[in-house]
Amino acid sequence: MEPSRSPEIRLTPSEAATLLDVADTAILAGLSGRSPLPVAMDVLPERLRQTLGSFVTLMVADQLNGCIGHVEGVEPLARDVAHLAWSAAFDDPRLPPLERSDRRTLIIEISLLSPLTPIAAESHQDLLEQLEPGRDGVVVRAGRSQGLFLPSVWEQLPDGHEFLHHLFRKAGLAPGTWPDGVEARRFVAMKYRRRLGAAAVDGIEVRVSR
């Protein structure tokens, strides 16, 4: 029996360009010392007004320079992306704030997450055998402990055992163990990326998970 999966969240080229424009505008506002401007939701396509899980990842000179997101939607997508883009640029506590000099090599990547679907696993090995490397993002939770890896993490951790080892560590759980009450859920992600300030649909890259 095939595992339960949710479909990818696919945008049209125009919708993707508009959403990346929203992220651009928020980041440029921050570089000018301002908070993100309000997003005019009433003029946006319906898809960008839906509530979806999303992450914004920033790369400067091919190095991670911020990644902030919500695994499940908390507000309309375009408004959420504006806030996430600003936070990834200037408020990710793990990385330095974006500077004006970073603009030349800045890549913005927006990941749209499918709804979470449960994985019926009863052990570390059971979970591993049900994952599709490169495609599945994973959330593990036990009590108040939680860890999440986007599908792109497989690019750095292609070995399944190592992937789960680091995921459990991120969640504050002992790698290789299966605590009482642990839950695992999967999702897939559509990624839309473009250089800061690129015009219209020029330069947009679209990828499904892998």
Side-chain angles (χ1 to χ4, degrees):
M1 180 178 177
E2 287 293 321
S4 175
R5 299 183 188 277
S6 297
E8 301 93 6
I9 307 300
R10 294 184 179 272
L11 302 181
T12 67
S14 176
E15 290 169 341
T18 298
L19 195 59
L20 286 160
D21 286 346
V22 168
D24 275 1
T25 300
I27 291 170
L28 292 172
L31 289 173
S32 297
R34 296 180 283 115
S35 298
L37 298 173
V39 179
M41 299 300 300
D42 57 328
V43 301
L44 293 179
E46 181 180 357
R47 178 63 63 86
L48 304 189
R49 291 183 271 126
Q50 294 180 359
T51 303
L52 299 171
S54 59
F55 276 72
V56 175
T57 302
L58 305 180
M59 305 293 292
V60 173
D62 296 323
Q63 298 296 314
L64 180 67
N65 205 91
C67 181
I68 301 288
H70 300 125
V71 67
E72 296 178 291
V74 297
E75 59 181 332
L77 178 60
R79 186 176 296 151
D80 200 25
V81 163
H83 294 153
L84 294 176
W86 193 97
S87 295
F90 308 107
D91 201 28
D92 186 334
R94 304 164 300 174
L95 295 161
L98 200 69
E99 299 181 358
R100 286 181 177 272
S101 59
D102 297 324
R103 291 177 57 173
R104 183 175 57 85
T105 61
L106 177 62
I107 297 288
I108 301 171
E109 179 177 281
I110 300 172
S111 297
L112 302 185
L113 278 55
S114 69
L116 300 176
T117 56
I119 304 174
E122 299 181 355
S123 68
H124 190 277
Q125 183 62 31
D126 191 11
L127 174 58
L128 178 61
E129 291 175 356
Q130 295 188 62
L131 295 179
E132 184 178 343
R135 179 178 176 84
D136 287 335
V138 186
V139 181
V140 294
R141 176 184 297 164
R144 295 185 178 181
S145 298
Q146 177 173 297
L148 175 148
F149 274 171
L150 291 171
S152 57
V153 175
W154 289 104
E155 297 171 12
Q156 287 77 48
L157 300 171
D159 177 80
H161 289 284
E162 189 177 6
F163 181 92
L164 290 184
H165 179 95
H166 285 273
L167 176 59
F168 271 59
R169 282 183 56 189
K170 183 178 181 181
L173 304 172
T177 66
W178 197 260
D180 290 341
V182 68
E183 299 176 350
R185 295 182 290 173
R186 79 172 88 233
F187 59 91
V188 295
M190 288 293 298
K191 299 191 296 187
Y192 302 88
R193 66 198 312 260
R194 190 182 67 185
R195 286 194 179 277
L196 176 72
V201 299
D202 295 344
I204 293 179
E205 296 179 31
V206 182
R207 302 178 186 175
V208 53
S209 296
R210 40 171 132 252

